[in-house]
Amino acid sequence: GENVEQHPSTLSVQEGDSAVIKCTYSDSASNYFPWYKQELGKRPQLIIDIRSNVGEKKDQRIAVTLNKTAKHFSLHITETQPEDSAVYFCAASKSNGGYNKLIFGAGTRLAVHP
Amino acid sequence: DTAVSQTPKYLVTQMGNDKSIKCEQNLGHDTMYWYKQDSKKFLKIMFSYNNKELIINETVPNRFSPKSPDKAHLNLHINSLELGDSAVYFCASSRGSGSYNEQFFGPGTRLTVL
């Protein structure tokens, strides 16, 4: 069945450093890859997404890259700040009879230390 | 203005009881979802409705029954609660059911079964 693996499970960086989170998906028909940020006790919120016809997308300090051949996609956060501390989830979905089902990775807990 | 709201925020109950969680969205979206987030933060889709019709029904015990009285509401009723049902339940909505549709999450309902 569909599966999304996410690494690392925890990541600790110093403020100002970069952070990279990697995901691998199993279903080659997947065509949409969102990333969600969940702060402690809060709801998941979309921070960036990428479609399968694009290799890279950037939004200020956040970028996502997609390698369809290897079925890998990654989140890059540059110049990290303490407010970036949260759990980050990658997800993958595909169109399936007119509906899409998001399959989430297990999450990465990012801690940014001042 | 709350986009996706859930009630109650916290629910503490005894094993064997029946309980309901309500969800409402004021975004005018056609599609709504229920997710379960376990103690390890893993997010898993349970159900999805599009215009009041069930379109995703994952492998969930039939003690869980969703109901969508209209496309702005999706409620979750749980019969005969078990210890393993303890989790945070998130409602979400999206404009449509196809790929590329951002899902907006509610604040979550933390269910504790004693």
Side-chain angles (χ1 to χ4, degrees):
Chain A
E2 307 119 324
N3 188 41
V4 176
E5 292 193 0
Q6 183 172 345
H7 299 280
S9 56
T10 59
L11 182 57
S12 184
V13 300
Q14 290 297 124
E15 184 176 358
D17 287 351
S18 294
V20 180
I21 302 170
K22 298 182 179 183
C23 290
T24 304
Y25 59 99
S26 61
D27 192 336
S28 56
S30 297
N31 60 359
Y32 176 61
F33 307 92
W35 286 87
Y36 282 81
K37 176 184 180 182
Q38 186 178 25
E39 295 176 3
L40 189 62
K42 300 285 180 66
R43 72 191 78 194
Q45 291 191 288
L46 182 77
I47 54 170
I48 195 167
D49 56 13
I50 192 167
R51 302 182 184 187
S52 59
N53 59 349
V54 175
E56 185 172 355
K57 185 176 177 181
K58 193 172 179 182
D59 182 4
Q60 298 182 346
R61 297 186 297 109
I62 293 172
V64 58
T65 57
L66 171 65
N67 181 331
K68 282 172 56 181
T69 304
K71 292 190 279 187
H72 287 170
F73 59 114
S74 301
L75 178 71
H76 305 252
I77 307 174
T78 58
E79 300 170 32
T80 53
Q81 300 165 5
E83 50 266 38
D84 294 330
S85 297
V87 179
Y88 291 81
F89 293 95
C90 63
S93 78
K94 64 178 182 182
S95 294
N96 186 355
Y99 67 87
N100 88 82
K101 181 172 71 174
L102 280 181
I103 305 298
F104 282 88
T108 296
R109 188 176 298 277
L110 173 64
V112 180
H113 302 284
Chain B
D1 289 347
T2 305
V4 183
S5 59
Q6 293 178 231
T7 54
K9 190 167 173 63
Y10 300 96
L11 189 50
V12 181
T13 188
Q14 300 286 333
M15 267 175 50
N17 284 350
D18 303 338
K19 291 293 178 185
S20 291
I21 307 171
K22 294 187 175 183
C23 178
E24 177 181 0
Q25 54 94 4
N26 63 5
L27 297 166
H29 287 170
D30 286 341
T31 309
M32 296 185 72
Y33 312 81
W34 277 112
Y35 286 88
K36 179 180 180 180
Q37 187 171 47
D38 61 24
S39 58
K40 294 184 178 177
K41 298 292 188 186
F42 192 64
L43 261 173
K44 188 161 167 41
I45 181 83
M46 300 173 69
F47 303 103
S48 177
Y49 273 72
N50 187 57
N51 273 320
K52 302 193 298 174
E53 287 195 27
L54 181 67
I55 56 171
I56 296 176
N57 185 354
E58 288 295 282
T59 310
V60 176
N62 57 16
R63 299 182 294 105
F64 290 79
S65 51
K67 274 200 172 57
S68 182
D70 55 61
K71 72 175 193 178
H73 296 85
L74 180 61
N75 304 324
L76 184 66
H77 187 76
I78 316 170
N79 287 329
S80 305
L81 278 155
E82 300 178 356
L83 293 176
D85 298 332
S86 295
V88 179
Y89 292 84
F90 285 99
C91 175
S93 73
S94 62
R95 186 186 304 275
S97 59
S99 268
Y100 316 144
N101 280 287
E102 177 182 353
Q103 293 187 20
F104 293 81
F105 283 78
T109 295
R110 182 175 293 277
L111 171 65
T112 304
V113 183
L114 303 174

